[in-house]
Amino acid sequence: QVQLVESGGGLVQPGGSLRLSCAASGSIFSIGAMGWYRQAPGKQRELVASITSGDSINYTDSLKGRFTISRDNAKNTVYLQMNSLKPEDTAVYYCNAAHGPVVAGRHTRDAWGRGTLVTVSS
């Protein structure tokens, strides 16, 4: 019972920056980790970055240094700061939350936002 709403997508020129937001509601206490994924046209959805409840952060190697994930617990919001954007970054970006009861060290539920489109073009 977690709901996620992404915002902040849009059109940006190569080399520009964009900040995405993901607002969570519902059973916030049960969230163990949140992450950003993206899916480009004709491509499989891939992990961009994730952050756990213990503030452990993971980035896709190719994006490390350009993208930054952060969290504001007071606002129940996760952010993705995207810098030095390239045309190949064009994709629908989705917010994800792993939550619910933990079985064998893994949360049993996943929540997904509907996505926000990021287009990098001149």
Side-chain angles (χ1 to χ4, degrees), residues 17 48-49 57-69 80-86:
S17 298
V48 174
I57 296 174
N58 180 67
Y59 296 98
T60 295
D61 288 341
S62 62
L63 303 178
K64 191 173 184 178
R66 295 196 297 120
F67 289 13
T68 303
I69 189 170
L80 183 68
Q81 179 66 45
M82 309 165 65
N83 299 324
S84 302
L85 285 164
K86 305 174 181 179

